Amino acid sequence: MEKKNIDWSNLGFGYIKTDKRYISLYKDGKWDDGVMSEDDTIKLSECAGVLQYAQTIFEGLKAYTTEQGKIVTFRPDLNASRMKDSAARLEMPVFPEDRFVDAVVKTVRENAAYVPPYGSGATLYLRPYMFGSNPVIGVKPADEYQFRVFATPVGPYFKGGAKPITIKVSDFDRAAPNGTGNIKAGLNYAMSLHAIVTAHKEGFDENMYLDPGTRTKVEETGGANFLFITKDKKVVTPKSNSILPSITRRSLVHVAKEYLGLEVEEREVLFDEVKDFAECGLCGTAAVISPVGKIVDHGKEICFPSGMEDMGAVTKKLYDTLTGIQMGRIEAPEGWIKEIEL
């Protein structure tokens, strides 16, 4: 299989059309068998449910080439399970979890020429998504849906290394108490756009959202979970029913306990505690871990001892171990790596 003629080392984190995408339609109470298609366009009614009432959910994961030359994905079964939960919350039909994984495998296989080579720092990003497709004018769930998966090659999230970022405590709320913060719904991300644009204009890289009920506890950013390291090297992650259950965070928690022998606490984290932590990171699919060097709370700076030049020592061990597992340099726990047979 010959790779596409792409300058892998200079890829950005953006969309590039690939050859095939997976499409399955839901109508009359059931999903069809699904097909692979070369058509990257979608034709919809002007009154489609997704356009009127934002009935859409999505996932994000990657395929990459391991040190052994295999093409693999990382824990797609957890993406399938999370999308099931998202669909149920928005009154959408659940796309079967086994079919979700199969759709991901087929999409990678049909676009294998776009999977970057090992060592390039690039990956094939996969976007499974679902939306209401039939006309809906009254406020109610759609009757017809599309489930799709497309792929696009992307470069490393950090070019030249992961330098610590500066974030601000946001005045906006990311999610409502008992709302949709714990599912991957498009509407959550639409709500965060004004806040992130505002943060960027003010010179910050991201926002820290506090709990919407009391605004005293750390939640997450617009697209990543927090990970803190105490001065005695304990890993602490915020726990809340309005935080998206990050697959990367769950994987890092396992790595911390089982590979590095670190103590881990998954609990409510008071904002007042943050100044006492030694390291801070944001974890998610795109970057694995983005180190945080400074948090600014309305002019008051919290500077982590790990500094603004490099990842903290414990954060770096977590990052190196998880990426080592993903890339085949370190043995993975059973079921974590899904190999794509070509």
Side-chain angles (χ1 to χ4, degrees):
M1 183 268 303
E2 187 176 348
K3 294 289 185 183
K4 296 291 183 179
N5 184 22
I6 294 175
D7 185 359
W8 305 108
S9 61
N10 286 313
L11 274 176
F13 201 85
Y15 174 76
I16 295 173
K17 178 186 172 182
T18 53
D19 293 342
K20 297 285 186 71
R21 65 272 312 132
Y22 180 91
I23 305 168
S24 181
L25 307 180
Y26 181 89
K27 189 175 182 179
D28 298 327
K30 62 181 183 298
W31 290 102
D32 68 12
D33 293 336
V35 296
M36 298 301 302
S37 173
E38 295 181 359
D39 187 0
D40 64 323
T41 63
I42 298 171
K43 185 175 180 180
L44 286 174
S45 163
E46 62 186 353
C47 196
V50 62
L51 301 178
Q52 303 307 316
Y53 302 117
Q55 205 179 13
T56 180
I57 57 177
F58 70 97
E59 279 296 325
L61 66 160
K62 292 178 175 179
Y64 40 87
T65 306
T66 67
E67 189 175 47
Q68 296 76 25
K70 299 175 180 177
I71 294 177
V72 304
T73 61
F74 183 71
R75 309 191 78 178
D77 56 313
L78 294 190
N79 293 96
S81 176
R82 190 168 64 181
M83 182 167 253
K84 175 195 70 176
D85 294 340
S86 296
R89 179 64 175 82
L90 292 193
E91 289 297 328
M92 303 169 79
V94 170
F95 194 74
E97 293 179 60
D98 57 339
R99 288 194 58 192
F100 177 104
V101 174
D102 183 60
V104 165
V105 169
K106 286 177 177 174
T107 304
V108 176
R109 185 183 295 134
E110 293 289 339
N111 295 292
Y114 290 92
V115 179
Y118 175 78
S120 65
T123 55
L124 186 71
Y125 184 80
L126 298 156
R127 172 54 60 86
Y129 61 111
M130 187 197 304
F131 56 89
S133 54
N134 68 292
V136 180
I137 196 64
V139 181
K140 63 179 181 179
D143 298 315
E144 298 176 10
Y145 296 84
Q146 293 190 28
F147 170 83
R148 290 173 169 254
V149 185
F150 69 79
T152 183
V154 296
Y157 200 75
F158 296 113
K159 287 188 179 291
K163 292 293 183 184
I165 62 175
T166 300
I167 65 178
K168 64 169 287 192
V169 176
S170 180
D171 291 320
F172 297 100
D173 292 329
R174 175 187 161 269
N178 303 311
T180 58
N182 63 337
I183 66 168
K184 207 164 176 67
L187 56 92
N188 293 342
Y189 295 81
M191 288 173 62
S192 73
L193 293 177
H194 178 64
I196 191 61
V197 168
T198 300
H200 288 166
K201 286 178 179 176
E202 295 174 355
F204 300 101
D205 298 290
E206 252 294 1
N207 287 293
M208 169 183 277
Y209 292 106
L210 303 180
D211 73 291
T214 69
R215 297 191 61 78
T216 61
K217 292 171 279 194
V218 176
E219 293 254 296
E220 60 166 275
T221 70
N225 284 185
F226 276 100
L227 192 78
F228 298 105
I229 311 297
T230 65
K231 290 173 182 174
D232 59 354
K233 297 181 171 56
K234 186 183 300 179
V235 179
V236 179
T237 66
K239 186 176 183 180
S240 164
N241 63 6
S242 55
I243 291 176
L244 185 74
S246 164
I247 294 165
T248 303
R249 178 189 57 77
R250 282 180 274 174
S251 302
L252 287 166
V253 164
H254 181 90
V255 163
K257 291 177 181 176
E258 305 301 329
Y259 283 72
L260 301 179
L262 299 172
E263 187 177 345
V264 178
E265 291 183 352
E266 298 178 72
R267 60 171 174 81
E268 290 187 341
V269 175
L270 294 174
F271 179 67
D272 284 346
E273 295 180 71
V274 172
K275 66 183 185 301
D276 299 320
F277 291 125
E279 302 173 30
C280 174
L282 310 179
C283 48
T285 299
V288 182
I289 304 178
S290 307
V292 176
K294 184 192 299 182
I295 297 174
V296 180
D297 177 23
H298 299 86
K300 182 181 178 182
E301 294 187 351
I302 299 172
C303 299
F304 294 100
S306 51
M308 291 298 295
E309 292 301 316
D310 298 300
M311 271 190 184
V314 176
T315 303
K316 184 72 162 58
K317 284 182 182 178
L318 287 166
Y319 175 87
D320 288 345
T321 305
L322 185 57
T323 55
I325 289 169
Q326 292 175 330
M327 293 296 170
R329 298 187 296 268
I330 298 173
E331 186 175 353
E334 185 176 354
W336 277 29
I337 304 298
K338 177 74 173 176
E339 184 177 347
I340 310 300
E341 301 288 349
L342 301 180

